[in-house]
Amino acid sequence: PCPQRPRDTMGQSVAMGGTGGPGTPLPLPPLLLALALLSPWGSAGASCPPRCVCASNILSCSQAVLSSVPAPLPRFTAVLDLSHNNVSRLRADWAPGRLTHLHALLLSHNGLSFVSTEAFAHVPHLRHLDLSSNRLRALEENLFSDLTELEVLLLYNNEISAVDRTAFDNLGRLRKLYLGQNRIARFPLELLRDGSRLPQLALLDLSANRLRSLPVGELQALPAWLRDRLYLHANPLACDCPLFQLVARGRRRRLSAVMDFQEELRCLLPTAPAPVGILSLAGRQPLNCSEAQEAVLEAHLGDAVTLSCDTRLRGVRSRHWVTPGGERVLEEGGNGSAALLANGSLRLQALRPEDAGTYACWVAGPLLNETLYVELLVHNFTLHGPHDTLNTAYTTLVGCILSVVLVLIYLYLTPCRCCCCRGTEKPPAPRDDSINSSVLSTTPNHAAGVPGEPCRSRSASITGPGQNGRFKVGGTPQPPPRHGPKAQRKVSDPDSVSSVFSDTPIVV
């Protein structure tokens, strides 16, 4: 049988036979010796930890049944893979020395339930951190604040239900955040609002959590390049029309978060036993939702508006607008009332009726191009026109009601006129005057006043008993007695029939 060759060791070679005899170590050739000395693991004071595989600056200890991080760790380690082990706690002293070269740390599938807030103080240049598929329940205050250069953070498939508002502070370079398959019940809108917390964030995965509602209005206001990578599928969302319109707009724009997971975008109806597709709510009872038109802007004559070029492309090289009349608005200037802003939006001043129509924004990206359309509706009146008309009608109505009220007050609530007769009053006109006998006259008939005697009211003017012992109402005095053979003319009796249209009474 052939003799078995002994295993080679780094820096030595065992040769069978030769001048040195069997088993005598021989020196390496000069080139191999130089490569061995240049290798990190061949330098003095550095060794690969037990049960780990070392290759260049990569240290892989995956599936090594480790319960703690091996020590010591070489300082030149750039990639450290500790996945699929039993490291349940990551303390602050897991890396005694400062690992300035480490840029990727993999700790998935470890049953990790505790991470110290100072655990990443010794790895300031970490760019990729994988904590997925563990048992983390909460993200504590300032947990990742030392990782100012972190770009990718994987936290999916944990038991996270509480996220501190400061957990992601100082992560100014974070681009991808994976929080799917957890127990998050509140949408962390503070991560996206204004872009101040995570300015470089381009992907946020919140799928398969416990979200029941979404801030649809604020999500719709996000730029399209961020909505393109906002994953919300597999959540127990409550069905409503704003949610349907948010998803429908994403499908119309062909956003990846909608197009790739249409089947998983479901919501709960009170009358349905199982979740239904969000996109199937169009015209369906009881909501009967309708799709809102995309990018339709309404304005009035004389207004100034800004048309947004909401592209889903990043790294745009150039863009320009085309007006409904076919004129191009380039980056270097405008065409009078239209001007291109620095962020790619189109500013229109002093709108006219001919400014209405469909505007097109042409965007040239690094890999592909995109064209966006914005429809502008210009109402043929100023913004204050409808309000002035409404105010005029309201004023007229109030004036009419006030006039009616004043008339009613005059007719029914005028107080009884009561005064004292003066001794120097002028005696009344003779009763045979045609004016005093008219039933249309509003002047009451008074008897000759007695000095010092108060006047009687019209409603109670009674001069004495009449026929059959009755009193005659109306203020007509008894006819004076005749003096002499010549009889005086009789005063008209109120009970006599007279014409209401005649100025001269009919005397009986």
Side-chain angles (χ1 to χ4, degrees):
C2 298
Q4 184 177 5
R5 180 182 179 183
R7 189 172 67 179
D8 295 345
T9 58
M10 188 171 296
Q12 297 180 352
S13 176
V14 178
M16 299 301 297
T19 57
T24 304
L26 296 177
L28 287 172
L31 180 60
L32 294 180
L33 181 59
L35 291 176
L37 293 176
L38 291 176
S39 174
W41 307 105
S43 60
S47 60
C48 187
R51 293 181 287 183
C52 297
V53 177
C54 303
S56 184
N57 56 358
I58 300 176
L59 178 59
S60 177
C61 303
S62 179
Q63 299 182 358
V65 198
L66 299 175
S67 58
S68 61
V69 179
L73 291 174
R75 294 185 179 181
F76 52 80
T77 303
V79 178
L80 178 58
D81 184 5
L82 296 172
S83 60
H84 296 275
N85 281 288
N86 299 319
V87 183
S88 60
R89 302 177 67 85
L90 191 64
R91 302 180 182 275
D93 57 352
W94 70 272
R98 190 176 179 86
L99 303 177
T100 57
H101 298 278
L102 188 67
H103 63 78
L105 177 60
L106 313 178
L107 284 166
S108 63
H109 298 277
N110 268 282
L112 193 64
S113 59
F114 171 79
V115 177
S116 172
T117 56
E118 300 177 358
F120 307 107
H122 299 293
V123 287
H125 303 297
L126 199 65
R127 299 196 302 269
H128 183 101
L129 177 59
D130 186 1
L131 297 174
S132 63
S133 300
N134 283 293
R135 296 179 181 176
L136 297 176
R137 296 184 178 181
L139 300 181
E140 302 294 339
E141 179 181 2
N142 295 332
L143 181 58
F144 306 106
S145 59
D146 292 326
L147 303 176
T148 57
E149 299 181 12
L150 191 66
E151 299 178 2
V152 180
L153 178 57
L154 290 82
L155 292 166
Y156 64 87
N157 195 23
N158 275 278
E159 301 174 4
I160 300 173
S161 59
V163 180
D164 191 87
R165 294 180 178 272
T166 63
F168 303 103
D169 280 356
N170 300 330
L171 300 185
R173 297 187 183 181
L174 188 66
R175 297 184 297 105
K176 299 179 180 180
L177 177 58
Y178 295 87
L179 288 168
Q181 299 184 30
N182 278 285
R183 301 176 182 178
I184 300 174
R186 186 191 66 85
F187 186 89
L189 186 62
E190 62 275 4
L191 300 180
L192 306 176
R193 184 182 287 126
D194 302 331
S196 57
R197 182 72 60 87
L198 302 174
Q200 300 295 326
L201 189 64
L203 185 150
L204 177 58
D205 180 16
L206 290 170
S207 61
N209 275 279
R210 298 181 179 180
L211 300 177
R212 296 187 177 274
S213 62
L214 297 175
V216 177
E218 300 195 48
L219 293 182
Q220 185 60 40
L222 295 175
W225 56 263
L226 181 53
R227 284 184 282 122
D228 189 35
R229 295 291 188 270
L230 179 59
Y231 298 97
L232 299 169
H233 56 276
N235 274 286
L237 298 171
C239 295
D240 55 21
C241 290
L243 175 64
F244 164 75
Q245 293 174 357
L246 176 68
V247 178
R249 287 190 180 100
R251 180 179 61 178
R252 190 182 302 112
R253 295 291 304 276
R254 303 191 66 82
L255 302 182
S256 301
V258 176
M259 300 302 297
D260 297 342
F261 298 95
Q262 292 190 52
E263 297 299 327
E264 289 82 2
L265 284 169
R266 296 179 170 272
C267 60
L268 299 174
L269 277 173
T271 58
V276 298
I278 297 178
L279 293 174
S280 66
L281 295 177
R284 177 173 180 171
Q285 297 297 333
L287 298 179
N288 195 21
C289 299
S290 59
E291 291 193 29
Q293 294 183 351
E294 178 73 15
V296 176
L297 184 63
E298 298 185 18
H300 302 82
L301 291 179
D303 288 351
V305 297
T306 302
L307 308 183
S308 175
C309 188
D310 191 20
T311 178
R312 58 192 177 96
L313 303 179
R314 301 200 69 181
V316 176
R317 295 179 300 179
S318 63
R319 73 183 84 195
H320 68 273
W321 285 83
V322 178
T323 65
E327 301 180 9
R328 292 168 57 110
V329 183
L330 303 176
E331 290 182 301
E332 56 268 14
N335 60 348
S337 61
L340 190 64
L341 303 181
N343 60 357
S345 301
L346 182 66
R347 181 70 174 176
L348 300 177
Q349 300 283 350
L351 289 180
R352 303 165 297 173
E354 54 268 23
D355 291 331
T358 302
Y359 292 78
C361 179
W362 298 76
V363 182
L367 299 178
L368 51 92
N369 301 331
E370 185 179 16
T371 305
L372 305 176
Y373 299 94
V374 180
E375 183 179 356
L376 177 62
L377 303 178
V378 180
H379 297 290
N380 197 18
F381 51 83
T382 61
L383 181 60
H384 304 287
H387 301 283
D388 293 341
T389 304
L390 179 61
N391 291 336
T392 303
Y394 178 75
T395 305
T396 304
L397 178 61
V398 172
C400 293
I401 295 176
L402 184 59
S403 301
V404 172
V405 171
L406 292 177
V407 170
L408 294 177
I409 291 175
Y410 177 78
L411 292 178
Y412 294 101
L413 299 180
T414 301
C416 176
R417 295 180 181 179
C418 185
C419 61
C420 294
C421 298
R422 300 178 182 177
T424 60
E425 278 187 341
K426 189 178 180 179
R431 292 297 173 180
D432 56 349
D433 192 357
S434 63
I435 298 178
N436 293 328
S437 61
S438 175
V439 299
L440 298 178
S441 176
T442 59
T443 305
N445 296 328
H446 298 285
V450 180
E453 182 180 354
C455 300
R456 295 184 179 92
S457 174
R458 285 186 299 171
S459 61
S461 176
I462 304 174
T463 59
Q467 296 178 355
N468 299 328
R470 294 178 300 157
F471 286 91
K472 294 183 180 181
V473 182
T476 304
Q478 292 292 333
R482 299 188 182 188
H483 299 282
K486 187 177 179 180
Q488 292 184 354
R489 189 178 182 180
K490 294 182 179 181
V491 182
S492 59
D493 192 343
D495 293 336
S496 63
V497 180
S498 60
S499 174
V500 296
F501 299 103
S502 175
D503 290 338
T504 303
I506 300 176
V507 181
V508 180

